[in-house]
Amino acid sequence: MSSDGSAAGNGSGGGSPSPVDASSTASPGLDGDIASILANVSGDRIWQSVQTLAEFGTRSSCSPQTSGAQGIVAARDWVKSKLDAIAGLHTSLYPYAQTRCAQQFTRHDVIALLPGTTHPERVIIVGGHYDSRTIDVLDGTSPAPGANDSGSQTALVLELARAFAGHAFDDTIAFIAFAGEEQGMVGSRALAMDMSSVVPAAQVVAMLQSDIVGGDNTVNDANALQHFRLYSPGTPREVSASAPDGTTDDTSPSRGVMRYVATWGAAYVPSMSIVPVLREDRPGRGSDHEPFIDMGRPGVRFIDTVETPNAGTVTSHQHSPNDLTMYVTPAYTARIAQVVAAVAANLARAPDAPRSVAVGGNATGPTLTWSPPGTGPVDHYVVAARPATENFYHTRVRVDGAATRATVTPTVLGVDVSRPYFVSVAAIDARGHESLFAYPEYRCDSSSCAVPPRALNITTKN
């Protein structure tokens, strides 16, 4: 029992003190090595990469060129050469059949792995596509410089691969530049179904996709350049153009990653603020996180706060010959890169989430039980809750690392007992690295705590 009597828990030993510490709410700790990675991210290098990528003329996956200094093949070879030059990475080309063009080509995703030291099968993906397009998605010859879409995200992937090199992580981090995105995520779809050919027995923990992160300086003012949108679907996934945005009274693995981004991105990069968007992507649009979600793996998309309007028209800075380097803000892309880095690095050093979580009781005092995670030593756990009307958790309540059970109250969780709320538990190691919160979250109201039935259908689309 805590000093104010507001929480109680039971550890593995019948006579042990309460493992719930309501007087000391756990707050995220910062890893100095991860902070040094973020400090090593360079806007100047990102800018140079964007400029080089734009000079390939077009990076369309429908481009017929097979040699020379222009086209998708030349761009592919340049991206791989930059990754090959980084010590400690395992680089490769993943071939796939590029369909949805006037003719079929063999194209390649470019992959660089930083192998995990203890759990190499667990993979965090830092992704972004390198192909570009002009107004006609099948036009493989007209100018398509793609400075923002997709120079900015490719530059981000390259910069983080360089910044992470020389640092050790428990899990594997995969830096991937996809092709074929503009024709319907062809390259990422092929790889998502075949990740174990790249990483044996691959278990994708999270897919962190950046797409249009150049900070278009004609539509984003100084305030907008301190924010970023993050798309993450619920259950069912808000995919179709007619599907409305989701609601906070919903849960999904991707929304768990969204909350992780909000927590750890803010902890390491307080100058940037998340703008959560509760759907898989913009209506009628998509990106390379979606094929991984199709496979049941959580994924989110980072994107500019404001997009240039009228994509696919001559004057637009997206899907047109007018997507030029002059409209890119490299310092913004660098800040997004730091947010992505903070999330990927913490996940790659954290334990797995607690397993076999169950929640009994009701909103007045739920009892959580769980099994320890399958990977990583646990120093302690945290239990947290969020009102069904909100996206993010309130107070994190510390629970002893030997415990597999805790009873808490709305008061200690910082939520209102008269309103439904979601609750879950995460594992934290001795260095402060926090796992994702266990999925599914339980929804507690005055009658019970239960998993919403739709929460188990994580690949169903709306």
Side-chain angles (χ1 to χ4, degrees):
M1 184 70 68
S2 66
S3 58
D4 64 1
S6 62
N10 297 309
S12 55
S16 62
S18 165
V20 175
D21 184 359
S23 64
S24 177
T25 57
S27 58
L30 300 188
D31 179 325
D33 185 60
I34 293 176
S36 73
I37 292 172
L38 272 61
N40 201 22
V41 170
S42 167
D44 288 341
R45 276 189 297 267
I46 287 172
W47 177 239
Q48 292 166 9
S49 293
V50 172
Q51 289 181 308
T52 299
L53 287 159
E55 290 169 359
F56 287 105
T58 179
R59 302 187 304 282
S60 170
S61 295
C62 294
S63 171
Q65 296 97 321
T66 57
S67 62
Q70 299 285 288
I72 185 74
V73 174
R76 176 204 69 193
D77 291 346
W78 179 81
V79 171
K80 186 165 186 294
S81 73
K82 298 297 286 185
L83 294 170
D84 286 342
I86 302 171
L89 299 183
H90 297 181
T91 62
S92 63
L93 296 176
Y94 179 82
Y96 69 91
Q98 176 63 43
T99 57
R100 304 185 184 181
C101 296
Q103 64 184 103
Q104 183 169 302
F105 300 99
T106 296
R107 295 299 184 222
H108 299 86
D109 300 326
V110 187
I111 302 172
L113 302 178
L114 183 59
T117 56
T118 56
H119 299 288
E121 75 285 355
R122 286 170 49 85
V123 184
I124 292 88
I125 297 175
V126 173
H129 70 91
Y130 70 98
D131 61 308
S132 66
R133 59 165 287 189
T134 188
I135 298 169
D136 179 355
V137 70
L138 301 184
D139 183 347
T141 58
S142 297
N148 195 352
D149 185 19
S150 60
S152 65
Q153 56 258 31
T154 307
L156 180 150
V157 171
L158 291 173
E159 182 63 10
L160 290 190
R162 189 200 60 76
F164 272 69
H167 299 262
F169 295 89
D170 299 339
D171 300 348
T172 294
I173 303 177
F175 303 94
I176 306 179
F178 299 100
E181 190 272 349
E182 298 292 7
Q183 289 73 38
M185 293 81 73
V186 186
S188 56
R189 195 168 304 282
L191 184 58
M193 295 187 291
D194 194 30
M195 273 299 296
S196 289
S197 71
V198 177
V199 178
Q203 301 171 19
V204 177
V205 176
M207 198 293 183
L208 308 174
Q209 172 72 1
S210 296
D211 194 347
I212 309 178
V213 289
D216 188 325
N217 54 40
T218 66
V219 290
N220 289 279
D221 59 17
N223 179 64
L225 291 173
Q226 302 302 136
H227 295 75
F228 62 93
R229 283 178 292 164
L230 192 86
Y231 281 85
S232 62
T235 49
R237 296 154 58 189
E238 306 85 359
V239 175
S240 71
S242 61
D245 285 3
T247 72
T248 56
D249 195 0
D250 194 4
T251 185
S252 77
S254 295
R255 297 273 171 87
V257 174
M258 174 193 73
R259 281 182 275 279
Y260 202 94
V261 171
T263 298
W264 293 101
Y268 281 88
V269 194
S271 62
M272 294 294 281
S273 297
I274 185 175
V275 180
V277 188
L278 303 184
R279 60 180 303 119
E280 191 150 297
D281 212 312
R282 298 97 80 225
R285 305 290 293 277
S287 193
D288 293 310
H289 60 306
E290 296 187 71
F292 290 89
I293 301 174
D294 287 341
M295 300 300 294
R297 312 314 302 177
V300 295
R301 175 185 178 153
F302 294 80
I303 185 172
D304 283 4
T305 310
V306 183
E307 287 178 80
T308 179
N310 305 317
T313 61
V314 173
T315 59
S316 175
H317 306 158
Q318 187 183 134
H319 297 173
S320 85
N322 202 36
D323 185 355
L324 302 171
T325 57
M326 63 189 292
Y327 303 124
V328 169
T329 308
Y332 177 81
T333 309
R335 292 193 295 274
I336 295 291
Q338 290 176 320
V339 174
V340 175
V343 174
N346 273 280
L347 277 176
R349 286 181 174 164
D352 195 6
R355 299 176 296 174
S356 305
V357 175
V359 182
N362 57 34
T364 61
T367 296
L368 294 83
T369 60
W370 62 86
S371 297
T375 64
V378 176
D379 178 77
H380 64 278
Y381 298 95
V382 288
V383 175
R386 63 180 180 89
T389 55
E390 297 181 19
N391 280 313
F392 302 116
Y393 292 129
H394 284 201
T395 303
R396 278 167 160 74
V397 179
R398 183 182 177 117
V399 181
D400 186 87
T404 57
R405 176 185 177 93
T407 299
V408 289
T409 66
T411 300
V412 73
L413 292 170
V415 294
D416 185 345
V417 69
S418 68
R419 298 179 180 179
Y421 59 86
F422 288 86
V423 65
S424 188
V425 58
I428 301 181
D429 70 9
R431 300 172 295 172
H433 304 120
E434 182 179 277
S435 75
L436 291 168
F437 275 78
Y439 189 81
E441 297 176 292
Y442 275 70
R443 187 181 188 276
C444 296
D445 57 26
S446 59
S447 61
S448 67
C449 293
V451 175
R454 64 181 181 271
L456 302 180
N457 301 320
I458 61 176
T459 61
T460 301
K461 298 180 181 180
N462 183 8

